[in-house]
Amino acid sequence: MKALWFENKKLQLRTDISVPSPGEGEVLIRVKCTGICSTDLELLKGYYSFQGIPGHEFVGIVEQGPDAWVGKRVVGEINIACGHCADCQEGRRKHCSHRKVLGIRDYQGAFAEYIVLPLSNILEVPDALSDEEAVFVEPLAAALQIQQQITIAPTDKVVVVGAGRLGQLIAQTLTLSTPHLLVVAKSNSKLHHLGKMGISTATTEELLMQHSFDIAVDCSGHPLGFELARKSLRPMGTLVMKSTYAENLNIDASSIVVDEIRLVGSRCGPFDKALALLFEKRVCVDYLHQQTFSLQEGVEAFRCASQPETLKVLVKQS
Amino acid sequence: MKALWFENKKLQLRTDISVPSPGEGEVLIRVKCTGICSTDLELLKGYYSFQGIPGHEFVGIVEQGPDAWVGKRVVGEINIACGHCADCQEGRRKHCSHRKVLGIRDYQGAFAEYIVLPLSNILEVPDALSDEEAVFVEPLAAALQIQQQITIAPTDKVVVVGAGRLGQLIAQTLTLSTPHLLVVAKSNSKLHHLGKMGISTATTEELLMQHSFDIAVDCSGHPLGFELARKSLRPMGTLVMKSTYAENLNIDASSIVVDEIRLVGSRCGPFDKALALLFEKRVCVDYLHQQTFSLQEGVEAFRCASQPETLKVLVKQS
């Protein structure tokens, strides 16, 4: 089959990859559409020691598996858990210490014509959702993880630092929890979409005058974004960390103690809730989807996605 | 009056300090006993730009103030809030951005014969408590702040890194919330007190084999303690930060995000609850009190307190 292959810091199109065989409890999925996210781009910069087929945001059709599932259109949870370790037993399957992660860790991903996944990872996509919408379930779930981890009151003042792919979704989901939301970014170019939805926006320089937010979310992808989010908080405020950085963060820990700040690391979230929000049209993803490439043009798709102003680039297998 | 005075990186005994005059809403307190804590020692190392009389752990007798209070034995909340700013109005008086802090920030402290404090800061000490017990209310309140900030289930596995002055109190208060408590320190010398109370202890090297704690508390006073506490956590665990450090912390922020760790800065706590626990004899402070000096011998008292093996040193004014 055709797939994008990453090896020796280079991404290339290959046509000689074997179609994977589903094992016990697994399904074979024919991939229809795959999204490029920042993690994919970081992978290619060498931040993870990954080799093989990247891609974890996908929608596809079950080709082999239990009869009840064959032919169904699905999305899939990206963490493949062992099911036996302490974390799995205690209900933290996405934190399984032996986990593989679709297209990220020890598991071939979705920039391919076919993937396999455990049956327990997949969810059916309602007919009302297009492929181009359903492919956003994974990042939307990640955005929704914030409300799984912290309580947000409708009186809480919340600031989101960063308005990239994930920031756009986080802004849209947080505005469902509180009307007091501000989204900041370095430039206005990515903020105007949110402004049109009635979400308040500001540039990072404007934010520096304010230190009174109850909750700040850093999804800037940059240590300076963390710093800005930290400074925007009132004492006893909460900083949600959504970005991973290649380098370590240098933080003023004493100020965290003195101001009794809470930091919350946040990663993958609930697929079912993301599907429900998309189905109910409470989140708009159409404008995020800016360009489409074929799998054949996959390397070019990655080049396009790596431009700073680009939001979502999709690869369509069929 | 006599007082210890810190200036130009030097602590000295002075006998020429004026007795302070209580203003509107304030009381004059004749100090009976003052404890030396790590913050005092850090102050003297120049970590804060403080000049004047240090000391914030005290017990004393009200000498001037409302009739109902004169003659009463009291302890006092150390944060002196403005009462008007947004933090004060929203109930975060100890985080008042204009606050003064007894013996720490812009306010003369308790290594003196007299201090003044706002009436709203003081609490009466029950007769059943000795001065030597009551002087522990401030650090005990700081320990109890942990349970004010996070929920601890009796099934939670909790590790405390550090067994110094504050660590001892934190261990004793946490063991009231969960039987699954482990306290680690570099050496056994400070652990054996806790062992005698039935609290499990281990050296830091022994801890390195474990990565399964639900909650870790760093009160080691050292960045390595933070690192150890972090490593001991299961995914989605909580790290309570009780230590302030002179330097910045260099943290692997990506692992905080990927493991969805929660960090919680924690400072001063509830005086009333600390008084209640001491009164109910649920916490033992007697063994912590290792040496007593007169105010005249105050400089020597600080020298003694700065020895690594020393727990609590008290200064008695009368």
Side-chain angles (χ1 to χ4, degrees), chain A residues 118-139:
Chain A
L119 181 59
S120 57
N121 280 47
I122 63 173
L123 288 90
E124 187 175 2
V125 177
D127 290 342
L129 293 180
S130 68
D131 292 345
E132 293 80 359
E133 289 172 308
V135 78
F136 282 92
V137 166
E138 196 279 333

Side-chain angles (χ1 to χ4, degrees), chain B residues 279-294:
Chain B
F279 182 74
E280 295 165 5
K281 308 269 178 224
R282 297 205 189 272
V283 171
C284 173
V285 294
D286 297 345
Y287 74 93
L288 295 172
H289 168 205
Q290 293 183 323
Q291 277 200 269
T292 306
F293 292 82
S294 68

Side-chain angles (χ1 to χ4, degrees), chain A:
Chain A
M1 65 175 185
K2 280 203 290 277
L4 300 184
W5 187 268
F6 180 68
E7 192 174 343
N8 293 333
K9 301 189 176 180
K10 198 167 175 304
L11 185 73
Q12 58 175 26
L13 179 74
R14 282 179 62 174
T15 56
D16 59 342
I17 311 284
S18 302
V19 173
S21 294
E24 177 73 23
E26 292 181 336
V27 294
L28 177 71
I29 298 165
R30 177 168 58 79
V31 184
K32 294 188 73 185
C33 179
T34 310
I36 301 179
C37 97
S38 299
T39 304
D40 297 316
L41 297 171
E42 289 188 21
L43 213 66
L44 268 58
K45 287 182 193 155
Y47 291 170
Y48 305 79
S49 60
F50 178 79
Q51 174 179 314
I53 307 169
H56 57 279
E57 302 177 357
F58 78 94
V59 57
I61 304 280
V62 176
E63 291 253 321
Q64 281 179 44
D67 286 348
W69 279 95
V70 172
K72 289 213 160 134
R73 196 164 56 122
V74 296
V75 290
E77 231 291 346
I78 69 174
N79 298 287
I80 295 100
C82 77
H84 307 297
C85 69
D87 285 306
C88 285
Q89 294 295 316
E90 291 170 18
R92 297 183 296 271
R93 290 177 64 91
K94 71 177 188 180
H95 287 287
C96 167
S97 53
H98 310 294
R99 72 184 177 275
K100 299 170 179 180
V101 187
L102 181 68
I104 295 175
R105 188 201 282 186
D106 304 330
Y107 203 96
Q108 300 303 334
F111 288 110
E113 291 181 278
Y114 294 91
I115 57 169
V116 291
L117 268 183
L119 181 59
S120 57
N121 280 47
I122 63 173
L123 288 90
E124 187 175 2
V125 177
D127 290 342
L129 293 180
S130 68
D131 292 345
E132 293 80 359
E133 289 172 308
V135 78
F136 282 92
V137 166
E138 196 279 333
L140 182 58
L144 283 171
Q145 178 66 358
I146 296 172
Q147 282 103 319
Q148 298 291 110
Q149 296 178 285
I150 65 169
T151 304
I152 303 177
T155 49
D156 280 341
K157 288 172 65 187
V158 180
V159 62
V160 174
V161 180
R165 300 168 185 90
L166 184 56
Q168 297 279 330
L169 295 172
I170 287 173
Q172 287 194 55
T173 48
L174 287 180
T175 199
L176 300 173
S177 290
T178 175
H180 305 291
L181 178 68
L182 178 71
V183 182
V184 301
K186 265 185 298 191
S187 74
N188 275 309
S189 65
K190 290 179 182 170
L191 292 174
H192 76 276
H193 305 289
L194 298 169
K196 279 195 277 183
M197 295 179 200
I199 294 172
S200 299
T201 62
T203 59
T204 49
E205 282 184 15
E206 291 167 320
L207 178 65
L208 284 174
M209 308 303 292
Q210 302 184 49
H211 311 275
S212 58
F213 288 89
D214 301 294
I215 296 163
V217 178
D218 173 32
C219 49
S220 66
H222 198 283
L224 286 176
F226 174 90
E227 196 58 37
L228 195 65
R230 164 67 188 96
K231 284 190 179 144
S232 73
L233 284 175
R234 64 157 169 87
M236 304 186 83
T238 299
L239 198 166
V240 179
M241 298 165 65
K242 268 291 179 192
S243 289
T244 54
Y245 318 100
E247 65 264 53
N248 274 8
L249 263 190
N250 196 261
I251 68 166
D252 177 358
S254 293
S255 88
I256 303 281
V257 174
V258 169
D259 289 342
E260 297 193 310
I261 297 297
R262 201 162 51 131
L263 305 180
V264 181
S266 180
R267 187 167 49 103
C268 301
F271 271 53
D272 53 347
K273 293 176 203 277
L275 263 174
L277 275 192
L278 279 174
F279 182 74
E280 295 165 6
K281 308 269 181 225
R282 297 205 189 271
V283 171
C284 173
V285 295
D286 297 346
Y287 74 94
L288 295 173
H289 169 206
Q290 294 183 325
Q291 277 200 269
T292 306
F293 292 82
S294 67
L295 185 55
Q296 188 83 27
E297 305 162 321
V299 174
E300 176 58 19
F302 267 77
R303 204 168 292 132
C304 173
S306 68
Q307 300 305 308
E309 295 304 308
T310 309
L311 289 169
K312 186 61 75 180
V313 172
L314 299 181
V315 168
K316 294 192 87 171
Q317 283 79 347
S318 58

